[in-house]
Amino acid sequence: MGVDRRLLLLGVVVAVAVTVVMGAPVALADDDDVDVGEELQSSGSESSGELTRGEPAVDATVPQAEITAGSEENVEIQVQNEGNIRLGTQRDRVTPARGVTVEVVDEGPFDVTSGTTSLGTLDEQQTASVDQRIKAPEDLEPGEHDITVEVSYSYTYQVSDNSRVTTERTGSETIDLTLEVPDEPRFEISDVVTDVEPGGDGPATLEIENVGSEAASQTRATITGGGGVTVDGETAEEVLGDLEPGDSTAVTVDVDIAETTSQGEKPLEIAFRYDDEAGVQVGSPDEPAQEEVASLAPAPEQTFSISNLQDTLAVGYDGVVTGEIENDGPRTVDDGVLIVEPTTDSLFVEDTRYALPELSPGETTEFRFPTDVSGQADAGPRQLRFTVEYGAGDRSTLEDGPISERVVIDDRADEFSITADEIRVAQGDLTEFTLEITNERSETLSNIDARLYADSPLDTDNDEAFVSELEPNESAEITFDVWADQDATTETHPVELDFEYENERGDEVLSDTYTHPIEVESGGDDGGLSIVGILVRVGAVLTALGLGATLWWRLR
């Protein structure tokens, strides 16, 4: 009986072994990709729990496949995971794709700049999107063009609940995607030119070309500025008309550039709409057919500089401020005005605006401002502020400055210095004498009328002298005469002189009074008059008699 039990137990063991051996080929036949080691690990769990196998099923599409030649756009690529279950029911454990990345591995005729993009985990029946930056060449022919993307990921291929043994794998899919370049008009802004600088307004010209493969009729453009640039007050609506492929047209709009706008290119947004070759309107004001961004560069700010500033300023006198102004560019200015502003009440400039001639970049011209100095002014340095006004664009007037410069007011000084040998006159006699006058001013004086004044006991018959012109530091001689009474005291007596002249501005100026000494000497022991004295006295009497006779004749 014991032998029978042992034989029975042996038969059971053999039967189990045969069952295991016979079952292995069936499991291996289920998936040719599973290696024998993995299958042996899983077979032990199949006898005690569920075995699940599967993988992601990944695909990619382009929802909006159109891309315009000559443009650079973000193209959306959608990646879907449909999932694939091979064995078992635990789909959520074997169908998710983890660490999904998308890369364009064949750009075709395009230029792709995005590189590899990560999407994370993509569950079964889930879709995710990724943008790829793609540039289409200018000369790309209309039609369909392919790119190739590679979607890579990792996943769990097989799981067993009881044995807790899993199989991990990586996968990738190479997918061809088709992009379409439409056969249509396409507009390009090739040039934007303006002479308007910050703070000004005026015209800007845009060159617009149809670089597409189809004609556009009744083409309209809406132009809007940005970055401190305003177009036509807000927005410009321009009619471009009919444009065949390769045709271009120039559009001029009015731009206003804010004074605070920095240098550098500013955006102009242009939205296009048109009628196609079938006469169908393409685009609308709200949804244009094409939008482009052009760059407008404000003109560089105009600048000027002042050099060689000189002055002839002195307390109480009229002077002049001169110098040179240079156009530092960048443009020719033909309507500039130089404005001067004193920073003190001691200086008065009668005409503060000096019209400049046309100045090309780098060109220099002289300026001159007649300037009066108050008699109550203190000598010393003063500041002048110069500003240049000039036209910018069509209408606006801009300024460069202020440019601060220093002038110096000199102490008050006489216009003339007077030198002469000692002048002597005898009692009752007349003498002629010569004075040398020198122009001490820093400007040329003209029409100089000198007058001599003598008080008793001195008198003069020749009390005027004239000099046509004296340049700075130039001298001239003037001649007068003087006679002394018979009873004049023998001592030094004064005579006075003043000068009336014209300065370089053409103003008539009366000088201060100058005093010069005359030495009276004794006329001799006889106490009589000298011959000259007698002649002078006789002349005076005859003159008086003549005047009296004339008066009597008129009154009788």
Side-chain angles (χ1 to χ4, degrees):
M1 188 65 176
V3 175
D4 294 338
R5 289 179 179 176
R6 286 194 296 270
L7 290 174
L8 179 60
L9 181 59
L10 179 61
V12 171
V13 172
V14 170
V16 171
V18 170
T19 301
V20 171
V21 173
M22 294 299 293
V26 175
L28 287 173
D30 189 61
D31 189 347
D32 295 337
D33 294 334
V34 181
D35 57 50
V36 175
E38 290 174 345
E39 188 60 38
L40 290 177
Q41 281 186 327
S42 301
S43 62
S45 61
E46 189 174 344
S47 63
S48 57
E50 183 180 6
L51 179 68
T52 301
R53 295 181 189 143
E55 65 272 320
V58 175
D59 197 5
T61 58
V62 180
Q64 298 293 332
E66 283 192 358
I67 184 170
T68 303
S71 68
E72 185 174 356
E73 305 175 20
N74 285 325
V75 176
E76 180 188 7
I77 298 176
Q78 289 186 348
V79 181
Q80 308 90 22
N81 178 13
E82 296 297 333
N84 180 33
I85 188 74
R86 294 179 179 271
L87 180 66
T89 60
Q90 302 183 75
R91 307 181 67 94
D92 58 342
R93 300 185 67 181
V94 294
T95 57
R98 302 185 303 273
V100 180
T101 60
V102 179
E103 180 183 8
V104 178
V105 294
D106 185 351
E107 300 177 340
F110 304 99
D111 182 18
V112 182
T113 60
S114 299
T116 302
T117 305
S118 175
L119 286 178
T121 298
L122 203 61
D123 293 328
E124 185 180 6
Q125 302 302 320
Q126 185 179 359
T127 300
S129 298
V130 59
D131 286 339
Q132 292 290 298
R133 191 69 178 171
I134 298 178
K135 182 177 182 180
E138 289 275 359
D139 55 355
L140 189 59
E141 292 293 330
E144 294 183 347
H145 303 273
D146 289 342
I147 63 172
T148 302
V149 299
E150 183 177 73
V151 183
S152 301
Y153 52 90
S154 61
Y155 65 100
T156 300
Y157 172 73
Q158 177 175 282
V159 296
S160 173
D161 288 339
N162 291 336
S163 68
R164 297 182 181 178
V165 175
T166 62
T167 302
E168 302 294 332
R169 290 185 176 178
T170 59
S172 65
E173 301 292 340
T174 301
I175 306 162
D176 291 332
L177 300 175
T178 300
L179 301 179
E180 182 179 358
V181 177
D183 189 9
E184 62 183 3
R186 183 166 55 85
F187 305 101
E188 182 179 273
I189 297 87
S190 57
D191 204 4
V192 180
V193 177
T194 186
D195 286 332
V196 180
E197 60 187 88
D201 63 275
T205 301
L206 297 79
E207 190 77 20
I208 300 175
E209 181 181 1
N210 179 5
V211 296
S213 56
E214 186 176 282
S217 302
Q218 298 297 315
T219 310
R220 283 84 75 195
T222 302
I223 305 173
T224 306
V229 177
T230 304
V231 179
D232 281 6
E234 185 175 0
T235 299
E237 297 287 344
E238 299 293 330
V239 177
L240 308 182
D242 299 339
L243 293 176
E244 295 289 334
D247 285 353
S248 62
T249 185
V251 176
T252 299
V253 296
D254 187 82
V255 295
D256 188 318
I257 304 178
E259 186 174 2
T260 55
T261 302
S262 61
Q263 291 293 330
E265 296 186 343
K266 309 302 173 186
L268 292 181
E269 297 179 358
I270 302 98
F272 296 93
R273 60 189 191 277
Y274 59 90
D275 294 346
D276 63 17
E277 292 183 340
V280 177
Q281 180 173 308
V282 180
S284 67
D286 295 330
E287 296 184 9
Q290 181 182 338
E291 291 181 289
E292 293 291 327
V293 176
S295 297
L296 179 145
E301 295 188 45
Q302 187 74 31
T303 59
F304 299 83
S305 58
I306 289 176
S307 59
N308 298 328
L309 192 73
Q310 299 179 3
D311 64 83
T312 60
L313 306 179
V315 175
Y317 290 104
D318 299 341
V320 66
V321 175
T322 60
E324 295 180 346
I325 182 167
E326 180 177 353
N327 177 4
D328 295 328
R331 295 180 302 284
T332 296
V333 174
D334 59 6
D335 58 354
V337 177
L338 178 63
I339 303 170
V340 64
E341 179 188 1
T343 60
T344 174
D345 294 335
S346 300
L347 298 178
F348 173 73
V349 182
E350 184 175 351
D351 190 352
T352 60
R353 299 175 67 87
Y354 188 89
L356 301 175
E358 179 176 315
L359 292 176
S360 301
E363 191 173 359
T364 300
T365 189
E366 295 180 349
F367 62 85
R368 185 176 184 274
F369 287 103
T371 304
D372 300 339
V373 183
S374 168
Q376 286 72 47
D378 293 327
R382 299 290 191 277
Q383 287 290 113
L384 295 178
R385 284 198 293 259
F386 294 92
T387 303
V388 182
E389 282 186 358
Y390 61 95
D394 267 355
R395 298 172 300 279
S396 57
T397 299
L398 299 183
E399 294 182 352
D400 179 42
I403 306 169
S404 293
E405 296 288 342
R406 194 180 83 148
V407 295
V408 177
I409 300 176
D410 296 331
D411 287 317
R412 186 180 185 90
D414 292 333
E415 298 99 317
F416 303 97
S417 60
I418 301 175
T419 58
D421 294 334
E422 186 176 11
I423 303 172
R424 296 178 180 272
V425 60
Q427 293 171 324
D429 201 357
L430 180 142
T431 187
E432 189 176 82
F433 61 92
T434 299
L435 302 176
E436 184 180 78
I437 62 171
T438 301
N439 178 10
E440 299 293 344
R441 301 285 289 141
S442 55
E443 61 178 326
T444 298
L445 306 181
S446 59
N447 297 326
I448 304 166
D449 188 8
R451 289 182 177 271
L452 180 73
Y453 303 93
D455 292 329
S456 179
L458 303 179
D459 204 348
T460 178
D461 283 338
N462 180 20
D463 62 353
E464 288 191 44
F466 181 79
V467 178
S468 61
E469 184 177 274
L470 284 179
E471 295 182 357
N473 299 315
E474 186 179 6
S475 299
E477 291 183 344
I478 54 177
T479 301
F480 301 98
D481 63 24
V482 65
W483 61 275
D485 288 344
Q486 180 66 37
D487 56 355
T489 57
T490 56
E491 61 183 3
T492 301
H493 295 269
V495 291
E496 293 180 344
L497 300 95
D498 64 23
F499 302 88
E500 188 174 351
Y501 61 88
E502 290 183 7
N503 59 22
E504 288 184 349
R505 294 162 57 179
D507 298 333
E508 292 187 356
V509 181
L510 180 63
S511 73
D512 290 337
T513 300
Y514 296 76
T515 300
H516 201 78
I518 303 293
E519 187 70 28
V520 177
E521 298 177 328
S522 173
D525 295 335
D526 57 2
L529 292 173
S530 66
I531 297 300
V532 176
I534 292 172
L535 292 175
V536 170
R537 291 295 178 92
V538 170
V541 170
L542 292 175
T543 299
L545 289 174
L547 290 174
T550 301
L551 181 61
W552 174 83
W553 176 261
R554 290 182 177 179
L555 294 176
R556 75 183 181 89

